[in-house]
Amino acid sequence: MMIEDTGGDDELLAIVPSPAASAPGLPAHLQDLTDRARGYVEAASSTNTRRAYAADWKHFSAWCRRSNLAPLPPDPHIVGLYITACASGTAERGMNLNTVSTIERRLAAIGWNCAQRGTPLDRKNRAIATVLAGIRNKHAAPPRQKEALLPEDLIAMLETLDRGTLRGLRNRAMLLIGFAGGLRRSEITGLDLGRDETEDGRGWVEIFDKGMLVTLRGKTGWREVEIGRGSSDATCPVAAVEAWIKFAKLAKGPLFRRVTGRGKDVGPDRLNDQEVARLVKKTALAAGIRGDLPEIERGLKFAGHSLRAGLASSAEVDERYVQKQLGHASAEMTRRYQRRRDRFRVNLTKAAGL
């Protein structure tokens, strides 16, 4: 079976088996299996990953065309020149220098696309590895982490929402469940009301007397997140979700949906995960969080991960429980999310006698 590139320069790249590329006279039942294989290939990675890899492959292919070079079969020397151009700002019009993380992602995308075509790229070749090591040494910068939103910040953000509207109820539930569950933005918008209710769902919720159980499908398999009820209905994530479900009159399907009809109706469509980032940014600015900074800089401080980092930074419990809630494989990864919790808690200067 051949590999077909079904996406053009202006479409998402999809490297999937194609019935049209199969051998002549292929039995109908095998063609059906080919269609199923296409679906499994697409399910192997998230939509965001496929979109990013498609954009990076398009970027690399465009650079090759302008340089009169062929992107395939992959030549380590050409790829080495490409990442050099990215680092020096000559890979595209406008002279935009790419960050080290962007270059590493572009390189991963090139490797993935080449592998899908049966022509793997040797990333350990010194024409790539040595150049990349030099780029890291010269251009690497400390990671820019999003600001962690602590409980007092979240409460101030909730006060900016109108509790008397469907949109306000929905946004309130999204902020609270995102914070209390330590959820990623795609995990928030990927939730359904029940199990196996949609094809694009990433999990579902179950509500009990003591709290809510969120079952999620992640990169490494399924995991469960327990969200207990809050000390009051005003800050309880479970009560917020219950109110949204009740007044939105939801019975099944996506949990968080678009509000239409001038805010009076709830549509069937699932929210895009970018809406979570926009919501966090908008409410953080409206609440005056980090008012000591200029507004433009404040806007860059907050995103969907601010909720996740906020839980890790504020939950005064054993670290292993935070690690489990966030679904991290290592405690070290969890510590990266604990932005402010342990800062200066231990003073080694005084402990040393100074």
Side-chain angles (χ1 to χ4, degrees), residues 25-36:
L26 189 68
H29 73 280
L30 291 184
Q31 291 186 9
D32 291 340
L33 287 177
T34 300
D35 289 336
R36 290 179 179 269

Side-chain angles (χ1 to χ4, degrees), residues 252-269:
K252 62 180 298 185
L255 176 59
F256 295 115
R257 313 179 186 190
R258 296 193 175 280
V259 175
T260 61
R262 297 183 179 180
K264 297 182 179 180
D265 300 313
V266 177
D269 297 331

Side-chain angles (χ1 to χ4, degrees), residues 216-223:
L216 297 168
R217 181 179 63 205
K219 295 180 180 179
T220 58
W222 292 92
R223 66 186 179 94

Side-chain angles (χ1 to χ4, degrees), residues 134-314:
I135 290 173
R136 286 171 175 158
N137 288 338
K138 188 170 183 179
H139 299 293
R144 294 183 178 181
Q145 296 179 319
K146 295 301 180 181
E147 188 87 1
L149 291 167
L150 300 185
E152 57 268 26
D153 300 326
L154 182 62
I155 291 173
M157 291 162 61
L158 294 174
E159 290 300 319
T160 69
L161 300 174
D162 187 351
R163 299 187 187 185
T165 66
L166 286 171
R167 187 173 286 107
L169 288 173
R170 181 201 65 193
N171 291 347
R172 186 181 189 82
M174 289 170 61
L175 288 176
L176 283 167
I177 193 177
F179 182 92
L183 305 182
R184 300 174 178 86
R185 66 189 193 194
S186 59
E187 292 173 339
I188 297 172
T189 58
L191 290 174
D192 290 339
L193 274 79
R195 180 172 184 166
D196 299 330
E197 291 187 340
T198 65
E199 292 184 359
D200 62 339
R202 295 193 59 178
W204 65 92
V205 299
E206 297 173 86
I207 298 177
F208 303 95
D209 290 340
K210 293 185 177 180
M212 177 166 52
L213 183 65
V214 179
T215 304
L216 297 168
R217 181 179 63 205
K219 295 180 180 179
T220 58
W222 292 92
R223 66 186 179 94
E224 292 182 341
V225 174
E226 297 177 1
I227 300 179
R229 291 186 180 271
S231 55
S232 71
D233 285 348
T235 58
C236 176
V238 184
V241 171
E242 287 177 322
W244 161 245
I245 293 174
K246 175 182 177 181
F247 289 101
K249 299 179 181 179
L250 302 180
K252 62 180 298 185
L255 176 59
F256 295 115
R257 313 179 186 190
R258 296 193 175 280
V259 175
T260 61
R262 297 183 179 180
K264 297 182 179 180
D265 300 313
V266 177
D269 297 331
R270 185 187 306 279
L271 280 182
N272 185 286
D273 64 354
Q274 288 288 345
E275 293 296 329
V276 177
R278 296 189 187 101
L279 172 62
V280 170
K281 188 186 298 289
K282 179 180 178 180
T283 53
L285 292 176
I289 311 299
R290 290 305 307 270
D292 56 309
L293 299 175
E295 185 168 346
I296 295 179
E297 188 174 344
R298 287 172 60 211
L300 298 174
K301 285 283 185 181
F302 304 104
H305 254 57
S306 296
L307 298 173
R308 194 166 158 83
L311 176 72
S313 298
S314 58

Side-chain angles (χ1 to χ4, degrees), residues 75-114:
D75 185 335
H77 291 87
I78 291 178
V79 175
L81 291 175
Y82 168 70
I83 62 175
T84 299
C86 290
S88 59
T90 60
E92 57 187 330
R93 296 179 179 87
M95 302 291 287
N96 294 319
L97 279 71
N98 290 159
T99 63
V100 173
S101 59
T102 297
I103 293 172
E104 290 175 336
R105 190 201 66 222
R106 293 195 193 282
L107 188 56
I110 294 171
W112 185 88
N113 278 277
C114 290

Side-chain angles (χ1 to χ4, degrees), residues 145 147-148 290 313 336 338-347:
Q145 296 179 319
E147 188 87 1
R290 290 305 307 270
S313 298
R336 295 182 188 179
Q338 294 169 335
R339 307 281 200 265
R340 299 186 240 172
R341 189 175 75 171
D342 296 323
R343 190 174 292 169
F344 302 118
R345 177 174 294 184
V346 177
N347 189 329

